[in-house]
């Protein structure tokens, strides 16, 4: 057929970035070749989508390792994660789970300004593009969208992470991981890394970091590291979604982090934590204890001004 329209091209790209193998190949019968950059008026949307793909590379790599070991798909139908919700078997909105913790609802209709999304029962859902706005599961919601929109929702017990450091996948290594965690219940995720080229992982040259979250008034996030591969991550930032209340204290590897009441002071600090009322997340950043297992603890115990 003919070359895809510009809107169709960006919607394909916004969908393709979540697929384990994201590839664009087509020669068209109107003497054109489909390329990501073929429509100048949509280049901002294309760049944003590709940037998200690169940010998710360590997360996707970990999911692909899970698929290799256990056959669990990277992209999952809703009913796989929510088998008790009969509505997920009949959902025709083409939403899917990316791993076990993130629901993706790409925009698929031409000229759409609303995306209809069914959120499975049995979970709360947080809009990752709208200050983690909370929705109850078991209902259909309608989200405003435009040409830039990639609707994504975080499950109420989930671990998701990205990096800003990878721009050339075969060359760059992540220096910082940025986590988003929700902890209504206990949850865990395995982060996997190796050199990406050789079979040295068969000789123990890999790093598996099991991140296990113990929910409660003191949320304990344990990072258990195994393998002999030298990790590249030097810095960790983390957002813990907590809509009910702020935190009292935060510690890393038994060391108390400084609390900041002013956002600018937090941003300029090397380590510390801050409670963001705009999206009701506990924001934490710290130096990664490299190749060492450790605990991050976030207390949301009830306190008053005297306790504070």
């Amino acid at each position: 057929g003919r070359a895809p329209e510009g809107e169709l091209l960006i919607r394909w790209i916004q969908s393709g970035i979540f697929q384990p193998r994201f590839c664009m190949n087509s020669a068209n019968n109107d003497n054109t070749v489909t390329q990501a950059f073929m429509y100048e008026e949509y280049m901002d949307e294309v760049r944003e989508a590709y940037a998200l793909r690169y940010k998710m590379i360590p997360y996707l790599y970990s999911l692909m390792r899970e698929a290799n070991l256990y056959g669990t798909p990277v992209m999952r139908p809703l009913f796989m994660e929510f088998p008790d919700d009969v509505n997920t078997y009949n959902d025709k909105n083409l939403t899917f789970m990316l791993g076990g913790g993130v629901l993706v609802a790409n925009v698929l209709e031409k000229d759409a300004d609303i995306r209809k999304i069914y959120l499975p029962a049995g979970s709360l859902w947080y809009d990752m593009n709208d200050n983690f706005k909370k929705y109850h599961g078991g209902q259909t919601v309608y989200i405003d969208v435009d040409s830039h929109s990639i609707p994504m929702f975080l499950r109420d017990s989930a671990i998701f992470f990205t990096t800003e450091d990878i721009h050339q996948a075969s060359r760059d290594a992540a220096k910082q991981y940025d986590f988003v965690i929700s902890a209504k219940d206990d949850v865990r995720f395995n982060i996997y890394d190796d050199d990406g080229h050789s079979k040295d992982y068969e000789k123990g040259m890999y790093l598996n970091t099991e991140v296990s979250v113990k929910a409660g008034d003191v949320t304990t996030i344990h990072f258990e590291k195994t393998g002999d591969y030298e990790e590249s991550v030097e810095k960790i930032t983390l957002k813990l979604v907590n809509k009910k209340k702020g935190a009292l204290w935060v510690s890393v590897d038994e060391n108390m982090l400084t609390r900041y009441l002013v956002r600018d002071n937090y941003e300029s600090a090397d380590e510390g934590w801050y409670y963001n009322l705009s999206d009701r997340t506990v924001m934490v950043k710290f130096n990664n204890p490299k190749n060492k297992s450790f605990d991050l603890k976030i207390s949301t115990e009830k306190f008053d001004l005297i306790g504070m």
Side-chain angles (χ1 to χ4, degrees):
R2 296 177 59 82
E5 296 178 356
E7 184 183 5
L8 178 60
L9 179 74
I10 64 163
R11 295 310 191 192
W12 157 242
I13 292 172
Q14 290 168 346
S15 176
I17 61 170
F18 297 101
Q19 300 190 17
R21 185 171 185 266
F22 174 32
C23 186
M24 295 173 57
N25 295 99
S26 72
N28 308 309
N29 62 12
D30 56 0
N31 295 339
T32 63
V33 176
T34 299
Q35 299 286 349
F37 48 80
M38 62 195 299
Y39 290 102
E40 292 183 8
E41 62 270 32
Y42 286 110
M43 282 309 300
D44 285 345
E45 290 90 334
V46 170
R47 288 189 184 99
E48 289 169 7
Y50 272 87
L52 179 56
R53 171 76 173 194
Y54 274 78
K55 288 177 183 178
M56 294 191 300
I57 281 178
Y59 181 71
L60 292 169
Y61 199 58
S62 300
L63 289 177
M64 291 175 194
R65 173 64 169 170
E66 182 181 335
N68 173 264
L69 291 175
Y70 308 113
T72 311
V74 173
M75 299 170 66
R76 305 173 188 177
L78 298 186
F79 60 76
M80 180 177 174
E81 290 293 328
F82 299 92
D84 296 330
D85 184 349
V86 296
N87 293 313
T88 62
Y89 294 85
N90 301 312
D91 181 48
K92 295 180 173 61
N93 294 319
L94 298 179
T95 55
F96 61 90
M97 297 295 296
L98 184 68
V102 177
L103 183 147
V104 181
N106 289 110
V107 180
L108 306 172
E109 302 295 331
K110 185 176 181 179
D111 297 326
D113 55 12
I114 296 287
R115 177 57 157 101
K116 178 182 177 182
I117 305 168
Y118 178 73
L119 300 174
S123 178
L124 298 172
W125 297 94
Y126 301 107
D127 188 338
M128 298 173 70
N129 297 306
D130 187 14
N131 280 334
F132 299 103
K133 182 178 178 180
K134 182 174 70 174
Y135 293 89
H136 290 276
Q139 65 168 323
T140 298
V141 299
Y142 297 83
I143 303 297
D144 292 335
V145 296
D146 59 23
S147 61
H148 298 264
S149 298
I150 306 176
M152 299 172 65
F153 291 79
L154 187 73
R155 196 173 179 171
D156 62 14
S157 299
I159 298 168
F160 179 68
F161 72 100
T162 57
T163 185
E164 299 282 347
D165 301 319
I166 298 178
H167 306 283
Q168 217 299 334
S170 64
R171 179 195 64 211
D172 297 339
K175 300 296 184 182
Q176 177 172 308
Y177 281 161
D178 302 308
F179 286 86
V180 178
I181 292 177
S182 52
K184 179 177 177 290
D185 300 307
D186 297 353
V187 64
R188 65 183 60 214
F189 185 83
N190 282 289
I191 300 173
Y192 178 81
D193 196 17
D194 57 24
D195 65 19
H197 302 285
S198 73
K199 288 193 173 185
D200 286 350
Y201 66 90
E202 295 178 344
K203 305 172 186 176
M205 293 303 295
Y206 65 87
L207 179 68
N208 188 84
T209 304
E210 183 183 61
V211 183
S212 55
V213 180
K214 181 72 174 177
D217 285 340
V218 177
T219 301
T220 299
I221 306 170
H222 180 66
F223 294 76
E224 181 66 32
K225 301 176 183 180
T226 56
D228 297 326
Y229 187 67
E230 182 70 25
E231 66 177 316
S232 61
V233 175
E234 299 172 353
K235 200 84 174 178
I236 291 176
T237 75
L238 185 145
K239 286 187 174 184
L240 176 68
V241 180
N242 193 323
K243 296 293 184 179
K244 292 182 178 180
K245 51 188 174 180
L248 175 58
W249 55 265
V250 177
S251 69
V252 175
D253 201 22
E254 303 301 327
N255 298 310
M256 301 296 289
L257 294 184
T258 300
R259 175 180 186 165
Y260 292 93
L261 297 176
V262 179
R263 176 71 177 266
D264 287 347
N265 293 342
Y266 168 79
E267 296 293 350
S268 62
D270 184 51
E271 296 185 299
W273 69 274
Y274 171 82
Y275 186 63
N276 186 359
L277 275 166
S278 296
D279 60 13
R280 294 217 169 243
T281 62
V282 183
M283 301 172 61
V284 185
K285 61 179 177 180
F286 57 93
N287 297 316
N288 180 28
K290 295 179 70 173
N291 290 91
K292 175 185 177 183
S293 300
F294 66 94
D295 285 339
L296 165 65
K297 295 182 179 181
I298 300 175
S299 168
T300 54
E301 299 163 283
K302 187 177 181 180
F303 65 93
D304 55 25
L305 288 176
I306 295 175
M308 178 181 174

